[in-house]
Amino acid sequence: MGKARRSPDGGLSTAPPAWLAQGWPHIWLPYAQMKTAPAPLAVVGAKNARLKLGDGRELIDGVASWWTVAHGYDHPHIREAVARQLEVLPHVMLGGLAHEQAYTLARRLARFLPGDLNRVFFSDSGSVAVEVALKMAMQFWLNRGERGRTKILSFKGGYHGDTFATMAICDPDDGMHALFKGALSEQFVVDLPTDAAKTDALNRTLARHARDIAAVIVEPLVQGAAGMKFHSAETLRRIADAARRHGMILILDEIFTGFARTGTMFAMGQAGVVPDIVCLGKALTGGTLPLAATVASERVFEGFLSDDPAAALMHGPTYMGNALACAAANASLDLFEREPRIADAARIETALRRGLEPARGLAGVRDVRVKGAIGVIELEKLDRNDLRRRFIEKGVWIRPFANIVYTTPPFTIGDADLAKITTAMVDVVRETT
Ligand SMILES: *Cc1c(COP(=O)(O)O)cnc(C)c1O
């Protein structure tokens, strides 16, 4: 530990640990302009909703590591399950070999999900889970001899990942991927059917391109990483109806919304919609290890059953169904079964509504909105490095993006810590707008 000084992020801290200073010239950070990116904070431990920093400070985590840490950091039940699995078998390939954790997890996910979403294809990241869903949808039609259906219809304001196929179905103008416009395959990215005119437009597009479009994909109820925008259950039902009417495969991307984040186990439950394919990731392992899943209905799965070897789904991530990750996911599902996570989400929703309301009407505030354990203050504009620094000074980890200040805390966060998050959000917005 060196002597106290102002750290690059503005907090009063000791010198950064040697590994951080030595590794800094070699690391490339996500979504960061490396010329101006503030030096990151060294985290040496984490417990429930608190991050322990290398200099001894603690931050209350309002982000839950991109909303993955559902049960808080270092939950003993998940830690013990992963440690036990490490003794038995950390990994074995899923091609031709089987292990208990993946098979048990597949069976349990099928039971957690509604309808006949019964066939689980594992991968390691959400983007790949979406890629697999797109591939399933396109090949479903190819296997039936419908060769032209290679397009996807998605919605403005959406986010489905950072790989090339998923970038092509994200909001085309959100800034994150706009640069690649010419390099991406052209898809149909349309308005959400929030009113009658937009519903008509959606139906017209689907009718006109019924031979071109393989699938419709949407993040149900909350479009997350492209702007934390909410839409109603009615809007989701309109999308499902339109997809059905025009014979499309409906893909729900529940990578953000799944596992109680919007107040029910899955967002689709609030609309009574059951898709043909659902994508899961993020909180699947409770924020412990990377794992994602693409879960298909019997109808989609049966579209691949054939005497023709070429009809098989040709996909297989090397680490798919990793045993440690599946053990973590099984332990996380245990906690969703036996801990009051839905009630936790409702408690957080109430606290966020009350705590963020004072931001409404402040200068520069465009909207304040809450759904489940998601709280959002939308501003006219913001300087995210300045805001992040101010939050750190208040002992809170909040990571604004675009014009959004949001929180997605762990479900296990205490009321006092939650109050500190909402107070900090309102205060920082008041100080800076
Ligand atoms: C995060 C996210 C993805 C991408 O997941 P990665 O694991 O980052 O590849 C896709 N869709 C949604 C809705 C997400 O929130």
Side-chain angles (χ1 to χ4, degrees), residues 67 124-128 130 159-162 219 225 253 255-256 282:
W67 47 94
D124 319 316
S125 78
S127 301
V128 173
V130 174
Y159 174 81
H160 298 287
D162 290 348
E219 295 162 89
D253 180 349
I255 291 167
F256 175 41
K282 294 255 158 73

Side-chain angles (χ1 to χ4, degrees), residues 66-104:
W66 280 323
W67 47 94
T68 59
V69 185
H71 316 286
Y73 291 97
D74 195 31
H75 195 290
H77 182 64
I78 300 181
R79 174 169 21 90
E80 283 155 22
V82 174
R84 249 193 332 272
Q85 187 58 35
L86 187 57
E87 297 288 318
V88 178
L89 176 76
H91 179 70
V92 71
M93 66 192 275
L94 233 52
L97 301 175
H99 64 80
E100 184 178 353
Q101 294 296 340
Y103 280 64
T104 300

Side-chain angles (χ1 to χ4, degrees), residues 125 209 281 351 362:
S125 78
H209 299 284
L362 289 180

Side-chain angles (χ1 to χ4, degrees), residues 91-95 99 102 120-124 291-292 315-323 325-326:
H91 179 70
V92 71
M93 66 192 275
L94 233 52
H99 64 80
V120 181
F121 190 98
F122 288 116
S123 56
D124 319 316
L291 186 70
H315 208 101
T318 305
Y319 275 96
M320 75 183 288
N322 173 262
C326 289

Side-chain angles (χ1 to χ4, degrees), residues 395-417:
V396 169
W397 179 240
I398 292 280
R399 198 169 185 274
F401 69 93
N403 60 336
I404 300 292
V405 182
Y406 76 95
T407 182
T408 49
F411 297 119
T412 49
I413 191 171
D415 291 335
D417 278 1

Side-chain angles (χ1 to χ4, degrees), residues 77-251:
H77 182 64
I78 300 181
R79 174 169 21 90
E80 283 155 22
V82 174
R84 249 193 332 272
Q85 187 58 35
L86 187 57
E87 297 288 318
V88 178
L89 176 76
H91 179 70
V92 71
M93 66 192 275
L94 233 52
L97 301 175
H99 64 80
E100 184 178 353
Q101 294 296 340
Y103 280 64
T104 300
L105 180 59
R107 174 178 57 76
R108 292 179 76 188
L109 285 176
R111 208 178 54 210
F112 261 80
L113 289 161
D116 67 346
L117 291 161
N118 285 339
R119 289 287 173 168
V120 181
F121 190 98
F122 288 116
S123 56
D124 319 316
S125 78
S127 301
V128 173
V130 174
E131 295 260 350
V132 170
L134 302 182
K135 199 168 179 178
M136 278 178 183
M138 289 185 200
Q139 197 178 341
F140 175 85
W141 299 114
L142 285 172
N143 284 355
R144 292 164 52 127
E146 296 193 37
R147 304 207 61 83
R149 298 181 72 157
T150 56
K151 295 288 176 192
I152 304 294
L153 183 137
S154 64
F155 295 93
K156 289 179 187 162
Y159 174 81
H160 298 287
D162 290 348
T163 56
F164 271 80
T166 59
M167 281 197 289
I169 54 172
C170 290
D171 188 299
D173 305 312
D174 75 348
M176 200 133 75
H177 302 138
L179 206 57
F180 289 97
K181 235 172 180 168
L184 299 174
S185 59
E186 291 236 356
Q187 306 294 0
F188 296 93
V189 187
V190 304
D191 286 327
L192 284 167
T194 49
D195 59 30
K198 288 176 179 150
T199 307
D200 285 347
L202 171 63
N203 276 298
R204 274 199 307 276
T205 303
L206 289 174
R208 195 175 317 129
H209 299 284
R211 292 240 172 87
D212 312 316
I213 297 175
V216 173
I217 184 167
V218 67
E219 295 162 89
L221 303 192
V222 178
Q223 294 179 302
M228 301 283 173
K229 297 191 190 87
F230 303 161
H231 58 262
S232 67
E234 183 56 37
T235 296
L236 180 57
R237 276 194 292 271
R238 286 187 195 127
I239 294 168
D241 288 347
R244 293 266 177 281
R245 183 170 324 144
H246 301 284
M248 302 292 163
I249 286 178
L250 177 65
I251 304 169

